[in-house]
Amino acid sequence: MIQAAYIHIPFCTHICHYCDFNKVFLHQQPVDAYIEALIIEMERTFERFPTSQLQTVFIGGGTPTSLTAKQLDRLLSAIHRTVPLASNVEFTVEANPDGVSDEQLYVLKQWGVNRLSFGVQTFDNELLRHIGRTHTKETAIETIERANELGFHNINIDLMYGLPTQTIDQLKETLHITFSLPIQHVSAYSLIIEPKTVFYNLMKKQALRLPSQEEEAQMYEIIMEQMEQRGYKQYELSNYAQNGFNSRHNMTYWNNEYYYGFGAGAHSYMNGVRYVNAGPIKKYIQLIERGQFPYINTHVVSKEEQMEEHMFLGLRKSEGVNKDEFFRRYGKTVHDVFDEAIALQKRNGLLEETEEAIVLTHRGKLLGNEVFQSFLGVSS
């Protein structure tokens, strides 16, 4: 049964230097037509792939709060009309710290949005300018506090480390401010230089001064240590939450479960098949208007691929891969399929095994990609 839905809003008022998500400048875009197409896609999808109840909805982007309050109202009202929501649904909307008004927050609250995710990245104004963000430390703090005052008590912020010119002291100051605010969840990611971004072009010109690998690893260690000290449990490699505030939506991905994906460039995983939607806005709208689904690619996931994905996604979780759950899903034990890879990474000190699970060691968290790679292409 599918219990999660992701909804993509591809519009941005500004493009950040590191971002490679499917997004476009908001100006002169067919926003209203896109929202109508999005609603039609949801209606058709639930007719073709019905579910009894959604436990999580996540509206991301792009910048969902680039929509006006009226446009948000149109979208959210349609979601409530179309989508079978659980009474305790986790309903998340991403927002820019300098791009959300009280009117928008009221609309979100009215339609049951109960979790906000702010793309803060850092509370250092110099670094914010370097990475192409338009907000300041002060506006981020003000927006988070205002959202809390208006009744949003499940707030996530995204942070980044390993940024160009970033120092250990700058990271520590960002963490200090984070812990002073009404924030229940933190996603902290290292910077990855992606093709077709401003940073990628600067890197090719050797004009991007990044922290060393040792400094980046030290930053990760500091984040893990300080989060633990301040009562934020690390439940996934990059995610930390106060008690009771783990992201239920993201757990869908890490548990390798099915989910709907709506909108331009969105991905779905439904009934053993992965679907990819058209990315360009006009093409997406045209496909919907022609009465078609917007899929440009479908892939039936083999049992071997499912098992591999289960391992490298599950190992991201602090609880690791549950051995009984693996056997229940696939009819084989993890050692039937991955004994050699597990043994190798245990010898390397990157994995450990309990009676219940296979989990990353502390050192394994620092070298996660090396561990994940060892499970690819070995189950066939």
Side-chain angles (χ1 to χ4, degrees), residues 103-266:
E103 184 182 10
Q104 289 171 309
L105 291 173
Y106 289 138
V107 169
L108 297 180
K109 191 73 176 172
Q110 172 192 350
W111 287 111
V113 174
N114 52 25
R115 185 174 185 270
L116 296 178
S117 181
F118 290 107
V120 172
Q121 315 314 350
T122 176
F123 285 107
D124 184 281
N125 285 335
E126 181 182 3
L127 285 176
L128 286 169
R129 288 192 296 272
H130 283 172
I131 65 177
R133 299 294 281 169
T134 57
H135 69 269
T136 64
K137 171 182 75 174
E138 292 77 17
T139 56
I141 292 171
E142 181 182 347
T143 300
I144 292 165
E145 291 178 335
R146 182 61 177 151
N148 178 68
E149 290 172 2
L150 293 176
F152 291 95
H153 303 309
N154 188 353
I155 294 176
N156 168 72
I157 65 167
D158 291 342
L159 296 179
M160 298 182 76
Y161 63 95
L163 297 171
T165 75
Q166 187 178 27
T167 66
I168 297 294
D169 285 343
Q170 285 173 317
L171 175 66
K172 288 181 175 179
E173 177 61 17
T174 281
L175 293 174
H176 175 73
I177 295 172
T178 297
F179 299 136
S180 72
L181 293 169
I183 293 167
Q184 291 74 40
H185 187 285
V186 177
S187 300
Y189 302 101
S190 64
L191 174 66
I192 298 175
I193 307 297
E194 302 283 4
K196 299 180 182 179
T197 63
V198 173
F199 277 168
Y200 182 78
N201 293 331
L202 289 172
M203 185 179 68
K204 287 202 301 184
K205 298 174 183 175
Q206 297 184 329
L208 196 66
R209 184 160 61 89
L210 296 169
S212 66
Q213 288 186 332
E214 292 76 16
E215 288 173 317
E216 187 174 308
Q218 185 181 355
M219 290 179 182
Y220 186 36
E221 296 263 20
I222 289 169
I223 292 169
M224 287 192 286
E225 179 182 321
Q226 292 203 12
M227 288 290 172
E228 181 72 24
Q229 291 173 355
R230 296 303 190 109
Y232 292 79
K233 177 179 171 56
Q234 183 182 27
Y235 67 99
E236 190 270 347
L237 283 180
S238 302
N239 285 268
Y240 310 80
Q242 295 176 350
N243 187 38
F245 289 96
N246 290 13
S247 170
R248 289 159 51 198
H249 183 82
N250 286 343
M251 287 297 291
T252 300
Y253 304 137
W254 301 319
N255 289 332
N256 201 26
E257 296 169 347
Y258 295 150
Y259 54 88
Y260 300 102
F262 301 113

